[in-house]
Amino acid sequence: KENDVYLVDFGLVSKYQRGEEQTHIEYKPDLRFAHDGTIEYLSRDAHQGIKARRSDLEILCYNLIHWLSGHLPWMEVLRDPKKVQAIKETFMSNLSSQLPKCFGSSSCPKALKDFLDYVNDLEFKQQPNYDKCRSFFEKALKNEGMKLDGKISFGKVSSDNVGTIKSPVKRKSPRKIKKPSYTDSASQTSPNFV
């Protein structure tokens, strides 16, 4: 359908409940899976090899910050997963002082800050209130006079809104893309292979 958006990347999907009684998995770091995934957006839990529902929302937070601001504070150290993890810990421990590093002179949208605060306060086993998460953004859209009709517009901004929406600042990534060798590919798909 023309108004459906699909977020696709289920390569690291895992169950958070186990057994017939659907018991929540324990908070247990697993070094075999530490730093597994797209480093820019990994949750703090994922840096330790832990998977949780709150992690999925934290990943979404990092994506939203990057899409809206064009920057994440750890972009310069992507080759060092432990440094990225440390910067994320600092970032999430004091969002009020850290968000300006992404948004510069523009302010972080209130809905995004509220969402980040909510996600940051989630406990490991806590079921996220997805309706509440949605409400942060629905409220912001309503305050902007947008219709919540489920339709997505990728068209041009009307002349009435010119100057109110800023494009993200493009920043160069320090990553150099190299052609993967057979060994590189095998180690990414099967950690025990190489």
Side-chain angles (χ1 to χ4, degrees):
K1 291 182 171 184
E2 68 184 35
N3 292 304
D4 290 348
V5 173
Y6 299 93
L7 297 177
V8 181
D9 187 355
F10 300 106
L12 300 173
V13 169
S14 65
K15 293 181 179 182
Y16 65 91
Q17 295 176 325
R18 301 276 192 248
E20 288 181 26
E21 294 172 22
Q22 297 296 290
T23 306
H24 199 290
I25 60 172
E26 294 301 315
Y27 185 88
K28 184 178 173 186
D30 187 341
L31 296 178
R32 296 174 301 161
F33 300 107
H35 314 293
D36 195 11
T38 306
I39 193 82
E40 292 95 317
Y41 309 114
L42 283 180
S43 68
R44 292 165 295 161
D45 289 333
H47 277 285
Q48 299 177 61
I50 302 166
K51 297 173 175 95
R53 293 173 287 182
R54 72 176 180 185
S55 296
D56 296 337
L57 294 176
E58 188 173 320
I59 290 165
L60 179 59
C61 288
Y62 297 147
N63 276 273
L64 290 169
I65 293 167
H66 197 194
W67 295 337
L68 293 171
S69 75
H71 181 67
L72 292 168
W74 45 87
M75 296 299 284
E76 303 301 318
V77 295
L78 292 177
R79 291 191 178 271
D80 187 338
K82 290 184 179 182
K83 281 186 182 176
V84 172
Q85 180 182 3
I87 295 170
K88 286 178 185 175
E89 292 290 348
T90 301
F91 181 82
M92 292 299 280
S93 69
N94 193 347
L95 289 168
S96 296
S97 70
Q98 296 296 315
L99 281 169
K101 293 178 181 179
C102 298
F103 288 90
S105 60
S106 302
S107 60
C108 174
K110 182 179 179 337
L112 180 55
K113 171 70 166 67
D114 292 344
F115 182 52
L116 280 158
D117 286 334
Y118 175 77
V119 169
N120 205 24
D121 290 339
L122 285 171
E123 297 294 327
F124 177 70
K125 292 184 179 182
Q126 184 178 349
Q127 178 175 338
N129 181 337
Y130 296 108
D131 289 331
K132 182 174 186 168
C133 293
R134 245 186 314 280
S135 74
F136 295 132
F137 300 101
E138 288 172 347
K139 182 179 176 186
L141 290 171
K142 284 180 186 175
N143 288 343
E144 291 293 320
M146 305 287 216
K147 285 189 219 173
L148 298 179
D149 58 6
K151 294 184 179 180
I152 300 170
S153 173
F154 293 104
K156 292 184 179 181
V157 177
S158 71
S159 60
D160 296 340
N161 294 329
V162 171
T164 60
I165 299 174
K166 295 186 177 164
S167 298
V169 175
K170 298 222 180 210
R171 299 178 194 262
K172 284 188 173 183
S173 172
R175 297 174 98 179
K176 289 187 173 116
I177 299 174
K178 68 173 190 164
K179 188 175 178 181
S181 68
Y182 176 74
T183 308
D184 291 337
S185 298
S187 66
Q188 291 174 7
T189 58
S190 177
N192 298 324
F193 182 77
V194 178

